[in-house]
Amino acid sequence: MKGIIIENISNLYKVINQENKEIYKCLARGSFKNIGITPVVGDIVEFSEKENVIEKIYDRENYIKRPKIANITQIVFVISMKHPKPDLLLLDKQLAFAESLGVKSLIVINKCDLVEENEIEKIFNIYKNIGYDVVKLKAKEKAGIENLKENLLGEISVLSGNSGVGKSTIINALFNDVVTSEGDISEKSKRGKNTTTLVKLYEIDKNTFVADTPGFSTFEISEIEKEDLSHFFKEFKPFMEKCNYIGCSHIKEADEECAVKRAKNNQEISESRYENYCKIYEELKNIKKW
Ligand SMILES: Nc1nc2c(ncn2[C@@H]2O[C@H](COP(=O)(O)OP(=O)(O)OP(=O)(O)O)[C@@H](O)[C@H]2O)c(=O)[nH]1
Ligand SMILES: [Mg+2]
Ligand SMILES: [Zn+2]
């Protein structure tokens, strides 16, 4: 039988058969170890119904190490307007990571009930103008959920974002039911408490899955070379070709030489995106030194 792994706890895997919708609990064949592969959530596998073992893992479209998941087609980046406040540096880092992986990005702005509309618009416009899909949400009141659902159809999506932004609340709202646990915000720090610790795929519709995760490790970005970073800031591309130097870093070069800097000065590239580019570039430089 053929299926998708939707959950994994140590050596035990839950596999859903797409045809009959039944869930089977399987173990992985010991022989996978010998070839250095471990099945992960998202893997498409061949399994024996009688023996309850996974026998074959199909080639992966992609693979993310932290959280361990394979074959995703879209990353949904969740930020919240308040508690915790929007972390655009993390968002830009993760957007660059998604570009480097070649998977689609969707941005969700949650907790829109907690701030004024103009505050939301500022962030909405930065990303909408670049060409990203952006959805505004009040997950607690389920407002905006239908719009989000449309953006998830036919995709295997993973939710990512800081603890407490509302990822689990969104999953529960999508199902109109409590399927995953939501946490509180710490009174003291106004941050989340890392309630979700498992990666798990939920089926919303035919061929439509969404995963709740503890969020992506920011270490993933360290796999990008700093020289490549600007390629993953997609609105930089049309300007990069007009820089005077091949290999322009768009940081230390003079404004006359660098078309990206000029675009930032003319507000064709947003200030916050440019600043975050510089910060991430610097971070990558320091990681590589170590
Ligand atoms: N005001 C408001 N609160 C929300 C909204 N969405 C979620 N919350 C609250 O934010 C808190 C954290 O939500 P979770 O869904 O547990 O957050 P999470 O991103 O899954 O957090 P981790 O599992 O720790 O990564 C809960 O108390 C939710 O009720 C919203 O749209 N508005
Ligand atoms: Mg959670
Ligand atoms: Zn430049």
Side-chain angles (χ1 to χ4, degrees), residues 243 248 250 258-259:
C243 291
C248 181
H250 324 297
C258 176

Side-chain angles (χ1 to χ4, degrees), residues 166-169 180-183 194-196 212-213:
K167 301 177 295 295
S168 297
T169 309
T180 185
S181 40
E182 298 168 22
N194 292 307
T195 306
T196 305
D212 194 9
T213 75

Side-chain angles (χ1 to χ4, degrees), residues 110-114 137-141 161-170 181-185 192-196 212-214:
N110 192 32
K111 306 200 189 183
C112 286
D113 52 308
L114 297 180
L137 216 59
K138 301 172 186 169
K140 216 170 169 177
E141 326 169 357
N162 275 332
S163 178
V165 295
K167 301 177 295 295
S168 297
T169 309
I170 291 169
S181 40
E182 298 168 22
D184 286 329
I185 296 295
K193 295 177 173 170
N194 292 307
T195 306
T196 305
D212 194 9
T213 75

Side-chain angles (χ1 to χ4, degrees), residues 122-138:
K122 260 186 240 157
I123 295 177
F124 182 87
N125 288 332
I126 292 175
Y127 294 96
K128 200 73 198 170
N129 290 341
I130 299 169
Y132 285 114
D133 288 321
V134 193
V135 171
K136 296 183 219 169
L137 216 59
K138 301 172 186 169

Side-chain angles (χ1 to χ4, degrees), residues 4 7 14 36 110 121 127 143 192 227 234 240 252 261 263:
I4 300 179
E7 204 181 329
K14 281 189 191 166
N110 192 32
E121 280 306 296
Y127 294 96
E227 289 76 17
K234 62 180 187 179
M240 275 158 53
K252 55 185 190 298
K261 281 178 136 183

